Amino acid sequence: MNSVRHRRLVSLVVLFLVFLPAAAFAHEETGGLGGLLSGFKHPLTGLDHMAAMVAVGLWGAFLGSRAMWTLPVVFPMVMALGGAAGVLGLPLPAVETGIALSGVILGLLVAVAAKPPLWVAAIIVGLFGFFHGHAHGTELPKSANALAYAIGFVVSTGLLHLAGIAFGLLARWPWGQAAVRAGGGAIAAVGFGFLFGLW
Amino acid sequence: MRRILLRPIAAALFSLLLFPGAAHAHTSVKGMGDFISGLLHPVVTPSHLLLIVGLGLLAGRKAPPAMKWPMALFIGLSAVALGLTTGWALSVHPVLLHAVSLVVGILLATGRALSLAWICPLFAFAALSMGLDSGVEPTTAGSRGQILFGTWLGLMVLVYDVSLYASLGAKARWVQIAWRIAGAWLVAISLMMLAFALRPPGGVPLP
């Protein structure tokens, strides 16, 4: 019995490591490959983006099987709406505050083990996704290939969600629940840091 | 009333589809023959590849025999569209290509069962838009013919392959979830591309 649990735990840790995105290194960021790398790196180079996107997966896994895939479906779609608004130059006030708040709120929701109805969770995640997307859209490097950039940042975002889901699945065990809630607390702390300019 | 509303929409779509102007033309890839170069064109054109994968996943929800009409439409109309790029030098506005991808992504992400009345027009628009977007830069008739024939085969084989493999796992719960996530990604990418295509010339000033 213990051996099965041990194997499951090892599998989860391996899964987490496999889906843990790492920054890619490129010499130039022009053309298709440059755009792809540039887009892929964008969510990974800001701890505020990374923390919130991991939190989405973490919360989804914590909420249950339906939320586990619904939230990572909602987030990129609304994020792209925000990205489109950013590309088109539509103003959005307090973007950085919204991004920092996303880490705080999502982290706290995981930390206090909040389990609202799925539609409420989807609205919260979608709202913050819009802020993240707006930042992606306005910060697009001029040299980047637009399509490759879009593919890169959507895939990178998805991998961050998967990393969060893999960690969140630990909540199936009592000790794992504590670890996941602590992870939520850490994400909220990162968000607070950005909110008050400590990072 | 409904017809009055539909007519201008149809006219707008048609004008976007038969957009005279610079096609995203392709030339032979150095070191490859014309035919192979055409065959690989849908693979090396990311906007086409995304749409092909989306169409394949959408088609994969149904058993292959149920897809004979959409596939027949796709095969026929992609050939017509590729032919139009030679005789009339027509192209497609990028907005249409991304709009079709967006619709395909939304249908995948929502996971609803689709009737052929939805799938057939989508396959038709996708075939026309990808075919018109695959024009060949001026070259000899033989070379152009080989490239276009290769492109046509490439489009067909890719859509068929993706749909066939997708249909094999269609009943598995985790596969259905994976497709919905893939659909969400396709929506996100298409929305961004639509924004880039509709952005005013010269871009907008960054804050």
Side-chain angles (χ1 to χ4, degrees), chain B residues 19-26 85 89-94 132-137:
Chain B
F19 176 73
H24 294 155
H26 56 87
T85 63
L90 291 170
S91 176
V92 63
H93 197 288
L132 288 170
D133 198 43
S134 303
V136 181
E137 282 182 357

Side-chain angles (χ1 to χ4, degrees), chain A residues 4 27 33 41 43 59 61 78 82 102 123 139 151 157 177 179 192 197:
Chain A
V4 172
H27 295 293
L33 185 61
K41 278 197 293 181
W59 198 30
V78 186
S102 68
I123 289 175
E139 291 167 15
I151 294 172
T157 300
Q177 274 218 358
F192 272 118

Side-chain angles (χ1 to χ4, degrees), chain B residues 16 19 22 24 91-100 133 193-194 197:
Chain B
L16 284 172
F19 176 73
H24 294 155
S91 176
V92 63
H93 197 288
V95 164
L96 188 69
L97 202 58
H98 303 314
V100 177
D133 198 43
M193 290 315 297
L194 276 173

Side-chain angles (χ1 to χ4, degrees), chain B:
Chain B
M1 184 65 185
R2 206 172 157 197
R3 276 191 180 177
I4 293 171
L5 280 172
L6 285 175
R7 274 182 195 162
I9 294 172
L13 281 175
F14 193 67
S15 62
L16 284 172
L17 202 56
L18 301 177
F19 176 73
H24 294 155
H26 56 87
T27 50
S28 301
V29 178
K30 277 181 187 171
M32 284 189 206
D34 291 329
F35 174 72
I36 297 293
S37 172
L39 195 68
L40 292 180
H41 183 255
V43 181
V44 297
T45 311
S47 54
H48 291 200
L49 190 59
L50 281 173
L51 182 51
I52 287 167
V53 171
L55 284 175
L57 294 181
L58 206 58
R61 284 187 190 167
K62 292 191 176 289
M67 288 304 296
K68 62 184 176 193
W69 288 114
M71 282 305 293
L73 264 177
F74 188 87
I75 291 167
L77 288 177
S78 55
V80 170
L82 286 165
L84 284 172
T85 63
T86 59
W88 287 271
L90 291 170
S91 176
V92 63
H93 197 288
V95 164
L96 188 69
L97 202 58
H98 303 314
V100 177
S101 293
L102 178 64
V103 174
V104 170
I106 290 170
L107 293 173
L108 272 173
T110 53
R112 293 192 184 282
L114 293 173
S115 67
L116 287 183
W118 267 96
I119 294 177
C120 284
L122 265 180
F123 269 63
F125 266 111
L128 288 171
S129 52
M130 282 192 286
L132 288 170
D133 198 43
S134 303
V136 181
E137 282 182 357
T139 177
T140 61
S143 173
R144 179 188 286 165
Q146 283 189 46
I147 294 174
L148 290 178
F149 181 61
T151 306
W152 184 57
L153 270 183
L155 285 170
M156 267 193 306
V157 168
L158 278 173
V159 172
Y160 175 73
D161 276 7
V162 177
S163 65
L164 184 75
Y165 287 117
S167 72
L168 295 178
K171 286 184 181 167
R173 176 82 178 131
W174 71 268
V175 174
Q176 290 170 4
I177 291 171
W179 291 354
R180 292 179 78 155
I181 292 173
W185 290 13
L186 187 56
V187 169
I189 294 165
S190 307
L191 270 174
M192 287 297 290
M193 290 315 297
L194 276 173
F196 286 122
L198 297 172
R199 187 168 51 170
V204 287
L206 296 179

Side-chain angles (χ1 to χ4, degrees), chain A residues 60-70 118 169 172, chain B residues 173 177:
Chain A
F62 201 69
L63 285 175
S65 62
R66 195 145 178 244
M68 192 159 64
W69 60 265
T70 304
L118 184 54
L169 285 174
R172 291 177 177 186
Chain B
R173 176 82 178 131
I177 291 171

Side-chain angles (χ1 to χ4, degrees), chain A residues 80-92:
Chain A
L81 271 179
V87 168
L88 293 171
L90 302 176
L92 180 67

